[in-house]
Amino acid sequence: MSKEREHFAGRFAVIAAFAGSAIGLGNIWRFPYMVGQYGGAAFILIYIAASLLLSLPIFLSEYIIGRYARSNAFGAMSALAPLSKVWKCLGYLFIITPMIVVSYYSVIGGWSLDYLVKSCTFSFIRTDASAISGIFPSFLATTWEPLLFHFIFLTISTIVVFLGVKTGIEKFSKFSIPLLFVMIVIITVYSISLPGSSEGIAYLVKPDFSKVTPQTFSYALGQSFYSLSLGMGIIITYSSYVSKNENIFVTGLGTAISDLLFALLASFAIMPAVFSVGLQPNAGPGLIFQTLPFIFSKMGEAMPLISSVVSILFFLTVLVAALTSCISLLEVGVAYLIEEKGLSRRLSCLFVYLFAGGLGVVASLSFGPLSGVHLMGKSIFDFMDALCCNFLMVIGGLGAVLFVGWKLNKGIVRDEFTNSETLGFNSRVFSFFYFLMKYVAPAAVLVILISNFI
Ligand code: PHE
């Protein structure tokens, strides 16, 4: 464990870094759709409950591990449980999962960069709405274009990580998070002022308890789990840069609230616009890279200038949100190589870049020349995503919460949670959260894990 670790400077920097990781594509392309699909306001309530009662305790567990050990995610596990093979394996998992995720996440990041360029060159406005659906397939069909933008995106992210925890990650997050909120608020105001937007608003807010099934709870938890970037060593790594004076509870709650707020704003930015042009919502890449360009083109027929500005703002939002998440993924691997392998930050960045870049090429080609290759019935890209999201991350989150609830000394957990009894409120709620970490959260995550298999 290195003594001279860099620190995030102050509460805003800490929350901005965590929120940067949390706010990402999940908030933009999955959450809005899930809200409408699973009961509107009813889903939002379930989501809030799942976030606070289940995801937050897992977040706190990872935070306790990282801040106490003051080490990278692998180093933390091997320092806190030196003799155990099982926990060591968990440490490896915390490094491997983000390395896989970052490779395909940066492919999508590249797409958003490409679409920002397309917005700036008025591609959507100049294309007739009926021809818009051809843009995405022909972009993928070029093969070189997604690859080029994947590498540009990854290069930008790696440069930020190379600049270090304070000069790179902290500065970038402190700048990006306010920017993201300002941009999404502008788009939201515009979107809900469109004629015909009320149907989209109703889709989001109308509580429909008939759409709530037992599965809804598992979907809500899965989404909040993914959205808070749990189960892959990110929270452990970032919290190892948090000062011992910081209040864990405020950080956790601040991150969860920013993440939720952004997801809600994104929902109100997207759905009213989707309904105003008479489309049905969908989730995933199709929403961002096909439905929205169609909307921009359609709106551009009457108001080309405004539509261009909104489309630039929108793809800039997607890009920045993806960048801050990508940075957090890269830092996990870089911190590991620096601390466990004794490499310089420069060399660590280079190795991580080459690994993620190379694997990303395979992921990207699975939309083109490698589209015929299937693993367990899925394309390579979908296989990587399913492997990580449904399996590796969930095991990682389960492992972290079990470690803190059952393996780590309770006195240590209490000290980290209450800053050695100096935080009155935290001392009062400790028993409740400890109970959640020990029993409730592991049970709920186990249910998700099993339900992913069935
Ligand atoms: N939390 C990010 C999102 O909502 C996704 C992500 C998951 C990013 C895991 C990094 C790690 O899009």
Side-chain angles (χ1 to χ4, degrees), residues 314-346:
F314 179 77
F315 284 108
L316 190 60
T317 305
V318 179
L319 174 68
V320 175
L323 274 173
T324 48
S325 296
C326 184
I327 287 160
S328 70
L329 289 160
L330 291 171
E331 177 62 19
V332 177
V334 169
Y336 165 77
L337 290 178
I338 294 176
E339 293 172 6
E340 301 302 314
K341 303 293 169 199
L343 301 184
S344 65
R345 181 165 277 271
R346 178 190 297 260

PDB file of all heavy atoms in Angstrom, residues 314-346:
ATOM      1  N   PHE A 314     -27.309  17.372 -27.287  1.00  0.00           N
ATOM      2  CA  PHE A 314     -27.650  16.015 -26.863  1.00  0.00           C
ATOM      3  C   PHE A 314     -26.460  15.071 -27.019  1.00  0.00           C
ATOM      4  O   PHE A 314     -26.091  14.351 -26.083  1.00  0.00           O
ATOM      5  CB  PHE A 314     -28.856  15.488 -27.648  1.00  0.00           C
ATOM      6  CG  PHE A 314     -29.210  14.090 -27.245  1.00  0.00           C
ATOM      7  CD1 PHE A 314     -29.896  13.852 -26.066  1.00  0.00           C
ATOM      8  CD2 PHE A 314     -28.798  13.002 -28.003  1.00  0.00           C
ATOM      9  CE1 PHE A 314     -30.183  12.559 -25.650  1.00  0.00           C
ATOM     10  CE2 PHE A 314     -29.073  11.703 -27.596  1.00  0.00           C
ATOM     11  CZ  PHE A 314     -29.778  11.491 -26.422  1.00  0.00           C
ATOM     12  N   PHE A 315     -25.814  15.081 -28.174  1.00  0.00           N
ATOM     13  CA  PHE A 315     -24.707  14.129 -28.343  1.00  0.00           C
ATOM     14  C   PHE A 315     -23.477  14.524 -27.534  1.00  0.00           C
ATOM     15  O   PHE A 315     -22.692  13.660 -27.134  1.00  0.00           O
ATOM     16  CB  PHE A 315     -24.401  13.911 -29.834  1.00  0.00           C
ATOM     17  CG  PHE A 315     -25.438  13.032 -30.467  1.00  0.00           C
ATOM     18  CD1 PHE A 315     -26.379  13.534 -31.339  1.00  0.00           C
ATOM     19  CD2 PHE A 315     -25.519  11.688 -30.115  1.00  0.00           C
ATOM     20  CE1 PHE A 315     -27.370  12.723 -31.882  1.00  0.00           C
ATOM     21  CE2 PHE A 315     -26.513  10.868 -30.639  1.00  0.00           C
ATOM     22  CZ  PHE A 315     -27.437  11.379 -31.518  1.00  0.00           C
ATOM     23  N   LEU A 316     -23.372  15.812 -27.230  1.00  0.00           N
ATOM     24  CA  LEU A 316     -22.298  16.221 -26.329  1.00  0.00           C
ATOM     25  C   LEU A 316     -22.578  15.665 -24.920  1.00  0.00           C
ATOM     26  O   LEU A 316     -21.660  15.199 -24.227  1.00  0.00           O
ATOM     27  CB  LEU A 316     -22.207  17.755 -26.296  1.00  0.00           C
ATOM     28  CG  LEU A 316     -20.998  18.342 -25.602  1.00  0.00           C
ATOM     29  CD1 LEU A 316     -19.704  17.877 -26.280  1.00  0.00           C
ATOM     30  CD2 LEU A 316     -21.043  19.875 -25.607  1.00  0.00           C
ATOM     31  N   THR A 317     -23.835  15.686 -24.530  1.00  0.00           N
ATOM     32  CA  THR A 317     -24.206  15.128 -23.216  1.00  0.00           C
ATOM     33  C   THR A 317     -23.870  13.634 -23.171  1.00  0.00           C
ATOM     34  O   THR A 317     -23.267  13.154 -22.211  1.00  0.00           O
ATOM     35  CB  THR A 317     -25.725  15.320 -22.965  1.00  0.00           C
ATOM     36  OG1 THR A 317     -26.029  16.691 -23.112  1.00  0.00           O
ATOM     37  CG2 THR A 317     -26.119  14.859 -21.582  1.00  0.00           C
ATOM     38  N   VAL A 318     -24.269  12.921 -24.217  1.00  0.00           N
ATOM     39  CA  VAL A 318     -23.988  11.476 -24.236  1.00  0.00           C
ATOM     40  C   VAL A 318     -22.478  11.245 -24.173  1.00  0.00           C
ATOM     41  O   VAL A 318     -21.986  10.398 -23.417  1.00  0.00           O
ATOM     42  CB  VAL A 318     -24.568  10.814 -25.514  1.00  0.00           C
ATOM     43  CG1 VAL A 318     -24.250   9.327 -25.548  1.00  0.00           C
ATOM     44  CG2 VAL A 318     -26.066  11.019 -25.595  1.00  0.00           C
ATOM     45  N   LEU A 319     -21.746  12.031 -24.948  1.00  0.00           N
ATOM     46  CA  LEU A 319     -20.295  11.849 -25.005  1.00  0.00           C
ATOM     47  C   LEU A 319     -19.640  12.107 -23.641  1.00  0.00           C
ATOM     48  O   LEU A 319     -18.836  11.291 -23.165  1.00  0.00           O
ATOM     49  CB  LEU A 319     -19.705  12.805 -26.057  1.00  0.00           C
ATOM     50  CG  LEU A 319     -18.187  12.831 -26.137  1.00  0.00           C
ATOM     51  CD1 LEU A 319     -17.662  11.504 -26.669  1.00  0.00           C
ATOM     52  CD2 LEU A 319     -17.686  13.962 -27.033  1.00  0.00           C
ATOM     53  N   VAL A 320     -19.981  13.224 -23.022  1.00  0.00           N
ATOM     54  CA  VAL A 320     -19.339  13.559 -21.746  1.00  0.00           C
ATOM     55  C   VAL A 320     -19.731  12.539 -20.674  1.00  0.00           C
ATOM     56  O   VAL A 320     -18.896  12.107 -19.870  1.00  0.00           O
ATOM     57  CB  VAL A 320     -19.713  15.006 -21.309  1.00  0.00           C
ATOM     58  CG1 VAL A 320     -19.161  15.318 -19.932  1.00  0.00           C
ATOM     59  CG2 VAL A 320     -19.182  16.008 -22.325  1.00  0.00           C
ATOM     60  N   ALA A 321     -21.006  12.134 -20.686  1.00  0.00           N
ATOM     61  CA  ALA A 321     -21.450  11.134 -19.703  1.00  0.00           C
ATOM     62  C   ALA A 321     -20.667   9.836 -19.898  1.00  0.00           C
ATOM     63  O   ALA A 321     -20.241   9.195 -18.933  1.00  0.00           O
ATOM     64  CB  ALA A 321     -22.948  10.884 -19.850  1.00  0.00           C
ATOM     65  N   ALA A 322     -20.456   9.457 -21.144  1.00  0.00           N
ATOM     66  CA  ALA A 322     -19.713   8.220 -21.422  1.00  0.00           C
ATOM     67  C   ALA A 322     -18.237   8.374 -21.042  1.00  0.00           C
ATOM     68  O   ALA A 322     -17.614   7.448 -20.525  1.00  0.00           O
ATOM     69  CB  ALA A 322     -19.853   7.833 -22.897  1.00  0.00           C
ATOM     70  N   LEU A 323     -17.688   9.565 -21.281  1.00  0.00           N
ATOM     71  CA  LEU A 323     -16.260   9.786 -20.953  1.00  0.00           C
ATOM     72  C   LEU A 323     -15.996   9.637 -19.458  1.00  0.00           C
ATOM     73  O   LEU A 323     -15.052   8.954 -19.046  1.00  0.00           O
ATOM     74  CB  LEU A 323     -15.837  11.192 -21.388  1.00  0.00           C
ATOM     75  CG  LEU A 323     -15.376  11.373 -22.826  1.00  0.00           C
ATOM     76  CD1 LEU A 323     -15.156  12.845 -23.142  1.00  0.00           C
ATOM     77  CD2 LEU A 323     -14.090  10.583 -23.092  1.00  0.00           C
ATOM     78  N   THR A 324     -16.835  10.273 -18.635  1.00  0.00           N
ATOM     79  CA  THR A 324     -16.568  10.212 -17.188  1.00  0.00           C
ATOM     80  C   THR A 324     -16.710   8.775 -16.667  1.00  0.00           C
ATOM     81  O   THR A 324     -16.017   8.390 -15.731  1.00  0.00           O
ATOM     82  CB  THR A 324     -17.504  11.158 -16.400  1.00  0.00           C
ATOM     83  OG1 THR A 324     -18.831  10.962 -16.843  1.00  0.00           O
ATOM     84  CG2 THR A 324     -17.095  12.602 -16.565  1.00  0.00           C
ATOM     85  N   SER A 325     -17.606   8.003 -17.289  1.00  0.00           N
ATOM     86  CA  SER A 325     -17.735   6.595 -16.863  1.00  0.00           C
ATOM     87  C   SER A 325     -16.523   5.796 -17.333  1.00  0.00           C
ATOM     88  O   SER A 325     -15.983   4.963 -16.594  1.00  0.00           O
ATOM     89  CB  SER A 325     -19.008   5.966 -17.433  1.00  0.00           C
ATOM     90  OG  SER A 325     -20.146   6.608 -16.926  1.00  0.00           O
ATOM     91  N   CYS A 326     -16.100   6.061 -18.554  1.00  0.00           N
ATOM     92  CA  CYS A 326     -14.974   5.319 -19.116  1.00  0.00           C
ATOM     93  C   CYS A 326     -13.697   5.562 -18.304  1.00  0.00           C
ATOM     94  O   CYS A 326     -12.913   4.643 -18.047  1.00  0.00           O
ATOM     95  CB  CYS A 326     -14.782   5.754 -20.566  1.00  0.00           C
ATOM     96  SG  CYS A 326     -13.507   4.829 -21.405  1.00  0.00           S
ATOM     97  N   ILE A 327     -13.545   6.813 -17.867  1.00  0.00           N
ATOM     98  CA  ILE A 327     -12.366   7.159 -17.073  1.00  0.00           C
ATOM     99  C   ILE A 327     -12.319   6.330 -15.787  1.00  0.00           C
ATOM    100  O   ILE A 327     -11.260   5.832 -15.383  1.00  0.00           O
ATOM    101  CB  ILE A 327     -12.427   8.672 -16.753  1.00  0.00           C
ATOM    102  CG1 ILE A 327     -12.104   9.446 -18.016  1.00  0.00           C
ATOM    103  CG2 ILE A 327     -11.500   9.062 -15.626  1.00  0.00           C
ATOM    104  CD1 ILE A 327     -12.580  10.869 -17.964  1.00  0.00           C
ATOM    105  N   SER A 328     -13.479   6.178 -15.153  1.00  0.00           N
ATOM    106  CA  SER A 328     -13.495   5.427 -13.891  1.00  0.00           C
ATOM    107  C   SER A 328     -13.136   3.959 -14.132  1.00  0.00           C
ATOM    108  O   SER A 328     -12.484   3.317 -13.309  1.00  0.00           O
ATOM    109  CB  SER A 328     -14.864   5.543 -13.210  1.00  0.00           C
ATOM    110  OG  SER A 328     -15.856   4.847 -13.919  1.00  0.00           O
ATOM    111  N   LEU A 329     -13.539   3.441 -15.282  1.00  0.00           N
ATOM    112  CA  LEU A 329     -13.205   2.050 -15.605  1.00  0.00           C
ATOM    113  C   LEU A 329     -11.707   1.894 -15.828  1.00  0.00           C
ATOM    114  O   LEU A 329     -11.078   0.948 -15.349  1.00  0.00           O
ATOM    115  CB  LEU A 329     -13.947   1.615 -16.874  1.00  0.00           C
ATOM    116  CG  LEU A 329     -15.459   1.423 -16.759  1.00  0.00           C
ATOM    117  CD1 LEU A 329     -16.120   1.474 -18.126  1.00  0.00           C
ATOM    118  CD2 LEU A 329     -15.775   0.098 -16.080  1.00  0.00           C
ATOM    119  N   LEU A 330     -11.126   2.840 -16.552  1.00  0.00           N
ATOM    120  CA  LEU A 330      -9.689   2.762 -16.842  1.00  0.00           C
ATOM    121  C   LEU A 330      -8.852   2.874 -15.571  1.00  0.00           C
ATOM    122  O   LEU A 330      -7.849   2.180 -15.405  1.00  0.00           O
ATOM    123  CB  LEU A 330      -9.283   3.892 -17.803  1.00  0.00           C
ATOM    124  CG  LEU A 330      -9.804   3.808 -19.236  1.00  0.00           C
ATOM    125  CD1 LEU A 330      -9.511   5.100 -19.984  1.00  0.00           C
ATOM    126  CD2 LEU A 330      -9.155   2.629 -19.963  1.00  0.00           C
ATOM    127  N   GLU A 331      -9.290   3.750 -14.671  1.00  0.00           N
ATOM    128  CA  GLU A 331      -8.490   3.994 -13.471  1.00  0.00           C
ATOM    129  C   GLU A 331      -8.341   2.725 -12.625  1.00  0.00           C
ATOM    130  O   GLU A 331      -7.324   2.532 -11.961  1.00  0.00           O
ATOM    131  CB  GLU A 331      -9.099   5.142 -12.655  1.00  0.00           C
ATOM    132  CG  GLU A 331      -8.400   5.470 -11.339  1.00  0.00           C
ATOM    133  CD  GLU A 331      -6.930   5.946 -11.474  1.00  0.00           C
ATOM    134  OE1 GLU A 331      -6.533   6.363 -12.566  1.00  0.00           O
ATOM    135  OE2 GLU A 331      -6.199   5.878 -10.464  1.00  0.00           O
ATOM    136  N   VAL A 332      -9.339   1.855 -12.677  1.00  0.00           N
ATOM    137  CA  VAL A 332      -9.247   0.608 -11.892  1.00  0.00           C
ATOM    138  C   VAL A 332      -8.022  -0.193 -12.341  1.00  0.00           C
ATOM    139  O   VAL A 332      -7.203  -0.625 -11.516  1.00  0.00           O
ATOM    140  CB  VAL A 332     -10.528  -0.251 -12.058  1.00  0.00           C
ATOM    141  CG1 VAL A 332     -10.394  -1.561 -11.313  1.00  0.00           C
ATOM    142  CG2 VAL A 332     -11.741   0.509 -11.573  1.00  0.00           C
ATOM    143  N   GLY A 333      -7.888  -0.370 -13.649  1.00  0.00           N
ATOM    144  CA  GLY A 333      -6.763  -1.141 -14.179  1.00  0.00           C
ATOM    145  C   GLY A 333      -5.438  -0.420 -13.992  1.00  0.00           C
ATOM    146  O   GLY A 333      -4.414  -1.031 -13.666  1.00  0.00           O
ATOM    147  N   VAL A 334      -5.455   0.886 -14.192  1.00  0.00           N
ATOM    148  CA  VAL A 334      -4.217   1.666 -14.079  1.00  0.00           C
ATOM    149  C   VAL A 334      -3.708   1.643 -12.632  1.00  0.00           C
ATOM    150  O   VAL A 334      -2.517   1.406 -12.383  1.00  0.00           O
ATOM    151  CB  VAL A 334      -4.461   3.119 -14.582  1.00  0.00           C
ATOM    152  CG1 VAL A 334      -3.296   4.024 -14.222  1.00  0.00           C
ATOM    153  CG2 VAL A 334      -4.686   3.115 -16.086  1.00  0.00           C
ATOM    154  N   ALA A 335      -4.609   1.849 -11.667  1.00  0.00           N
ATOM    155  CA  ALA A 335      -4.193   1.836 -10.249  1.00  0.00           C
ATOM    156  C   ALA A 335      -3.618   0.462  -9.890  1.00  0.00           C
ATOM    157  O   ALA A 335      -2.631   0.357  -9.151  1.00  0.00           O
ATOM    158  CB  ALA A 335      -5.383   2.163  -9.348  1.00  0.00           C
ATOM    159  N   TYR A 336      -4.219  -0.578 -10.461  1.00  0.00           N
ATOM    160  CA  TYR A 336      -3.714  -1.943 -10.197  1.00  0.00           C
ATOM    161  C   TYR A 336      -2.287  -2.095 -10.710  1.00  0.00           C
ATOM    162  O   TYR A 336      -1.397  -2.564  -9.996  1.00  0.00           O
ATOM    163  CB  TYR A 336      -4.654  -2.958 -10.860  1.00  0.00           C
ATOM    164  CG  TYR A 336      -4.079  -4.355 -10.966  1.00  0.00           C
ATOM    165  CD1 TYR A 336      -4.030  -5.182  -9.850  1.00  0.00           C
ATOM    166  CD2 TYR A 336      -3.586  -4.850 -12.185  1.00  0.00           C
ATOM    167  CE1 TYR A 336      -3.488  -6.455  -9.927  1.00  0.00           C
ATOM    168  CE2 TYR A 336      -3.052  -6.113 -12.270  1.00  0.00           C
ATOM    169  CZ  TYR A 336      -3.005  -6.917 -11.144  1.00  0.00           C
ATOM    170  OH  TYR A 336      -2.461  -8.176 -11.227  1.00  0.00           O
ATOM    171  N   LEU A 337      -2.061  -1.690 -11.957  1.00  0.00           N
ATOM    172  CA  LEU A 337      -0.718  -1.865 -12.531  1.00  0.00           C
ATOM    173  C   LEU A 337       0.324  -1.012 -11.803  1.00  0.00           C
ATOM    174  O   LEU A 337       1.449  -1.449 -11.587  1.00  0.00           O
ATOM    175  CB  LEU A 337      -0.724  -1.518 -14.026  1.00  0.00           C
ATOM    176  CG  LEU A 337      -1.477  -2.494 -14.933  1.00  0.00           C
ATOM    177  CD1 LEU A 337      -1.463  -2.015 -16.379  1.00  0.00           C
ATOM    178  CD2 LEU A 337      -0.889  -3.903 -14.833  1.00  0.00           C
ATOM    179  N   ILE A 338      -0.060   0.180 -11.407  1.00  0.00           N
ATOM    180  CA  ILE A 338       0.893   1.049 -10.701  1.00  0.00           C
ATOM    181  C   ILE A 338       1.269   0.419  -9.354  1.00  0.00           C
ATOM    182  O   ILE A 338       2.451   0.294  -9.024  1.00  0.00           O
ATOM    183  CB  ILE A 338       0.288   2.453 -10.451  1.00  0.00           C
ATOM    184  CG1 ILE A 338       0.062   3.185 -11.771  1.00  0.00           C
ATOM    185  CG2 ILE A 338       1.199   3.281  -9.531  1.00  0.00           C
ATOM    186  CD1 ILE A 338      -0.634   4.539 -11.622  1.00  0.00           C
ATOM    187  N   GLU A 339       0.249   0.003  -8.603  1.00  0.00           N
ATOM    188  CA  GLU A 339       0.523  -0.409  -7.217  1.00  0.00           C
ATOM    189  C   GLU A 339       0.945  -1.863  -7.077  1.00  0.00           C
ATOM    190  O   GLU A 339       1.726  -2.201  -6.199  1.00  0.00           O
ATOM    191  CB  GLU A 339      -0.706  -0.126  -6.348  1.00  0.00           C
ATOM    192  CG  GLU A 339      -0.932   1.370  -6.224  1.00  0.00           C
ATOM    193  CD  GLU A 339      -2.232   1.738  -5.532  1.00  0.00           C
ATOM    194  OE1 GLU A 339      -2.930   0.835  -5.029  1.00  0.00           O
ATOM    195  OE2 GLU A 339      -2.558   2.917  -5.513  1.00  0.00           O
ATOM    196  N   GLU A 340       0.418  -2.716  -7.944  1.00  0.00           N
ATOM    197  CA  GLU A 340       0.749  -4.143  -7.791  1.00  0.00           C
ATOM    198  C   GLU A 340       1.935  -4.546  -8.658  1.00  0.00           C
ATOM    199  O   GLU A 340       2.657  -5.477  -8.333  1.00  0.00           O
ATOM    200  CB  GLU A 340      -0.459  -5.018  -8.146  1.00  0.00           C
ATOM    201  CG  GLU A 340      -1.692  -4.746  -7.306  1.00  0.00           C
ATOM    202  CD  GLU A 340      -1.435  -4.935  -5.821  1.00  0.00           C
ATOM    203  OE1 GLU A 340      -0.829  -5.952  -5.433  1.00  0.00           O
ATOM    204  OE2 GLU A 340      -1.844  -4.049  -5.034  1.00  0.00           O
ATOM    205  N   LYS A 341       2.100  -3.889  -9.781  1.00  0.00           N
ATOM    206  CA  LYS A 341       3.173  -4.293 -10.694  1.00  0.00           C
ATOM    207  C   LYS A 341       4.312  -3.277 -10.718  1.00  0.00           C
ATOM    208  O   LYS A 341       5.288  -3.438 -11.470  1.00  0.00           O
ATOM    209  CB  LYS A 341       2.632  -4.490 -12.126  1.00  0.00           C
ATOM    210  CG  LYS A 341       1.511  -5.508 -12.226  1.00  0.00           C
ATOM    211  CD  LYS A 341       2.003  -6.923 -11.927  1.00  0.00           C
ATOM    212  CE  LYS A 341       0.856  -7.894 -11.752  1.00  0.00           C
ATOM    213  NZ  LYS A 341       1.234  -9.114 -11.047  1.00  0.00           N
ATOM    214  N   GLY A 342       4.156  -2.204  -9.968  1.00  0.00           N
ATOM    215  CA  GLY A 342       5.226  -1.218  -9.852  1.00  0.00           C
ATOM    216  C   GLY A 342       5.499  -0.433 -11.127  1.00  0.00           C
ATOM    217  O   GLY A 342       6.591   0.117 -11.304  1.00  0.00           O
ATOM    218  N   LEU A 343       4.530  -0.373 -12.028  1.00  0.00           N
ATOM    219  CA  LEU A 343       4.756   0.383 -13.273  1.00  0.00           C
ATOM    220  C   LEU A 343       4.481   1.868 -13.058  1.00  0.00           C
ATOM    221  O   LEU A 343       3.793   2.261 -12.118  1.00  0.00           O
ATOM    222  CB  LEU A 343       3.811  -0.128 -14.371  1.00  0.00           C
ATOM    223  CG  LEU A 343       3.902  -1.601 -14.760  1.00  0.00           C
ATOM    224  CD1 LEU A 343       2.959  -1.881 -15.921  1.00  0.00           C
ATOM    225  CD2 LEU A 343       5.327  -1.953 -15.155  1.00  0.00           C
ATOM    226  N   SER A 344       4.997   2.689 -13.943  1.00  0.00           N
ATOM    227  CA  SER A 344       4.692   4.122 -13.878  1.00  0.00           C
ATOM    228  C   SER A 344       3.254   4.324 -14.368  1.00  0.00           C
ATOM    229  O   SER A 344       2.686   3.452 -15.031  1.00  0.00           O
ATOM    230  CB  SER A 344       5.634   4.892 -14.789  1.00  0.00           C
ATOM    231  OG  SER A 344       5.393   4.510 -16.126  1.00  0.00           O
ATOM    232  N   ARG A 345       2.679   5.483 -14.060  1.00  0.00           N
ATOM    233  CA  ARG A 345       1.317   5.761 -14.549  1.00  0.00           C
ATOM    234  C   ARG A 345       1.307   5.772 -16.077  1.00  0.00           C
ATOM    235  O   ARG A 345       0.377   5.265 -16.709  1.00  0.00           O
ATOM    236  CB  ARG A 345       0.821   7.098 -13.970  1.00  0.00           C
ATOM    237  CG  ARG A 345      -0.590   7.464 -14.389  1.00  0.00           C
ATOM    238  CD  ARG A 345      -1.191   8.577 -13.547  1.00  0.00           C
ATOM    239  NE  ARG A 345      -1.758   8.105 -12.298  1.00  0.00           N
ATOM    240  CZ  ARG A 345      -3.019   7.680 -12.136  1.00  0.00           C
ATOM    241  NH1 ARG A 345      -3.850   7.679 -13.159  1.00  0.00           N
ATOM    242  NH2 ARG A 345      -3.450   7.254 -10.986  1.00  0.00           N
ATOM    243  N   ARG A 346       2.357   6.301 -16.656  1.00  0.00           N
ATOM    244  CA  ARG A 346       2.432   6.374 -18.120  1.00  0.00           C
ATOM    245  C   ARG A 346       2.362   4.985 -18.760  1.00  0.00           C
ATOM    246  O   ARG A 346       1.546   4.720 -19.642  1.00  0.00           O
ATOM    247  CB  ARG A 346       3.748   7.050 -18.501  1.00  0.00           C
ATOM    248  CG  ARG A 346       4.012   7.171 -19.987  1.00  0.00           C
ATOM    249  CD  ARG A 346       5.435   7.634 -20.220  1.00  0.00           C
ATOM    250  NE  ARG A 346       5.660   8.960 -19.672  1.00  0.00           N
ATOM    251  CZ  ARG A 346       5.665  10.078 -20.407  1.00  0.00           C
ATOM    252  NH1 ARG A 346       5.497  10.003 -21.699  1.00  0.00           N
ATOM    253  NH2 ARG A 346       5.880  11.240 -19.858  1.00  0.00           N
TER     254      ARG A 346
END
